[in-house]
Amino acid sequence: MTLEDRLLNDWFLTIELSTGCNLKCPTCPQNAANNNLEVMDESLLFDILNGISRDRIKFTSLTPFFRGEPFYNTNFIEYLKLINSFNRDISFFEFMTIHSNGQFINDNTGKKLFELMAKNGYGELIVSLDSSSDELYQKIRPGGDFNCSVNNLKQLINTYKAYSGIITLGIQFVEHKENSDDFPKFLKFWTGILNNNNLPFELIAENEKIMKNVPGIYIVRKPAGEFEQKSTIQSTSIKINHLGCHKAWVSPVIGVKGEITFCCADYNFEMINSNKTYFIQDFDYSIKSFWYSKPMQKIRNAFKAGNFPKKCDTCIEMGLSLENKYEDQ
């Protein structure tokens, strides 16, 4: 089996259950878009899940959000329960990955989330705070409550103890020019909290170990924007330069209205065709039909030839694989 065949058989699905965010972070692309809450129709979610069932396809992971804060949707947990019920019947994904700013994950929500993840055998929750102080937090995450996020994360750490063998909890620091000097204080603060709870942890770069499905607590230092090449922690991912971006092979993304793409930075769903947005409805709700369609084959051929959109120039994903198994033999 070729490297390309292996990539096409190891998928990572994103379904955007809602869009919009409670924060107005200057560095976030979502801040430049419509930030109002919009929730996927339950009927559309049913159609997508039924399409997956008909296709008999399986994904390594499911990410149930794309743009914004997933818990901004007050029905987020209920949507996850629906997805989990399908997963019990057809087993279409192995684990769930969720990123959050932590504002809405109180103790009760955290317990419900970990319980849902545990039913799949494994799950990942990454909470980004990006600051060690309220003053800096208000500057880089306008609209948020620093103490609320800190207290919620402390409760999550306590709840995590009952799920330590099956859940990954990431405490994330997204590094950019406004907060780069703050990381040592951030690290010291959360190291103290974890040590006081007698919980082991690791300091890693984004995707270095979390994507290897190893349960644990991780303090994650993630470069953003111009800091992509400046983080002092380097990823150990394997480069696959002859394929360029691996996302066109492994990661279908379905938007809140059914828009579909492959790129985790394609917030306007225009990477496949700048003049046309494709919808999962156009493919009878079949991800498989879209993934092997002529537009996607055209994108992959362009990537293999080294022809990438301008948006790809500063993307940290370029040339990186997810795991060592993607290394060509």
Side-chain angles (χ1 to χ4, degrees):
M1 182 182 290
T2 67
L3 172 60
E4 186 171 342
D5 288 334
R6 293 203 299 277
L7 287 169
L8 282 167
N9 282 280
D10 198 355
W11 299 10
F12 300 83
L13 175 64
T14 294
I15 300 178
E16 184 179 49
L17 298 180
S18 63
T19 185
C21 188
N22 57 308
L23 305 184
K24 300 287 287 185
C25 305
T27 58
C28 179
Q30 177 71 10
N31 192 36
N34 182 357
N35 219 19
N36 295 326
L37 176 64
E38 187 170 0
V39 179
M40 177 178 283
D41 286 341
E42 191 172 302
S43 60
L44 175 56
L45 179 58
F46 265 109
D47 287 334
I48 293 168
L49 295 174
N50 283 325
I52 292 171
S53 179
R54 290 195 308 270
D55 284 343
R56 298 179 181 274
I57 52 179
K58 296 184 183 298
F59 301 90
T60 300
S61 70
L62 170 68
T63 301
F65 77 100
F66 182 43
R67 298 166 291 183
E69 166 58 41
F71 290 93
Y72 196 31
N73 171 16
T74 56
N75 290 321
F76 185 58
I77 292 291
E78 296 305 312
Y79 272 61
L80 296 186
K81 289 180 180 178
L82 174 60
I83 290 172
N84 254 24
S85 69
F86 265 79
N87 198 43
R88 285 196 300 271
D89 292 337
I90 64 175
S91 188
F92 72 95
F93 69 91
E94 295 178 17
F95 67 92
M96 196 178 291
T97 298
I98 297 173
H99 289 237
S100 173
N101 58 43
Q103 292 282 293
F104 302 106
I105 311 180
N106 57 33
D107 187 42
N108 184 48
T109 302
K111 288 176 180 177
K112 289 180 179 179
L113 178 62
F114 283 169
E115 182 179 348
L116 281 168
M117 287 182 163
K119 288 179 179 179
N120 297 315
Y122 175 70
E124 298 174 348
L125 173 64
I126 317 300
V127 180
S128 293
L129 279 82
D130 311 345
S131 169
S132 67
S133 69
D134 180 62
E135 181 181 3
L136 179 59
Y137 189 86
Q138 293 302 324
K139 184 177 182 180
I140 63 177
R141 286 185 168 269
D145 184 327
F146 175 74
N147 290 324
C148 174
S149 287
V150 169
N151 289 334
N152 283 347
L153 188 47
K154 286 180 178 178
Q155 290 178 339
L156 278 172
I157 289 171
N158 187 58
T159 302
Y160 169 85
K161 295 174 183 178
Y163 299 91
S164 59
I166 44 180
I167 299 292
T168 282
L169 176 60
I171 303 170
Q172 184 163 265
F173 184 93
V174 180
E175 180 181 10
H176 46 81
K177 63 181 180 181
E178 298 291 347
N179 68 350
S180 60
D181 293 336
D182 191 53
F183 182 72
K185 295 180 181 178
F186 179 91
L187 179 61
K188 181 179 180 180
F189 178 81
W190 289 107
T191 295
I193 297 294
L194 295 171
N195 285 339
N196 287 340
N197 281 272
N198 297 313
L199 288 170
F201 67 94
E202 290 188 51
L203 170 63
I204 63 169
E206 185 196 29
N207 289 345
E208 182 177 348
K209 222 169 197 177
I210 289 180
M211 294 304 290
K212 293 181 180 178
N213 311 347
V214 181
I217 294 182
Y218 300 92
I219 296 179
V220 186
R221 190 175 188 179
K222 176 185 177 181
E226 69 271 26
F227 275 78
E228 286 169 357
Q229 307 302 325
K230 297 181 181 180
S231 176
T232 57
I233 305 174
Q234 299 299 317
S235 173
T236 59
S237 300
I238 300 297
K239 290 194 174 184
I240 48 173
N241 293 322
H242 59 295
L243 283 180
C245 177
H246 61 276
K247 294 298 182 75
W249 281 261
V250 303
S251 62
V253 177
I254 303 175
V256 71
K257 295 180 179 178
E259 315 97 312
I260 192 162
T261 185
F262 63 91
C263 173
C264 56
D266 187 13
Y267 298 110
N268 295 318
F269 295 90
E270 59 187 9
M271 288 280 280
I272 300 172
N273 187 330
S274 60
N275 298 315
K276 178 180 180 180
T277 298
Y278 289 93
F279 290 82
I280 192 65
Q281 294 92 320
D282 300 331
F283 297 87
D284 193 25
Y285 305 98
S286 170
I287 297 172
K288 189 174 183 179
S289 294
F290 168 75
W291 211 235
Y292 290 92
S293 66
K294 288 182 179 180
M296 282 305 302
Q297 295 292 6
K298 184 178 179 180
I299 284 289
R300 294 185 191 106
N301 289 337
F303 278 19
K304 285 190 288 185
N307 299 321
F308 303 102
K310 183 69 174 176
K311 185 177 287 189
C312 298
D313 289 351
T314 58
C315 180
I316 196 171
E317 300 285 351
M318 287 295 292
L320 299 180
S321 72
L322 294 178
E323 298 180 271
N324 291 359
K325 67 181 178 180
Y326 291 155
E327 186 176 12
D328 214 351
Q329 300 297 320

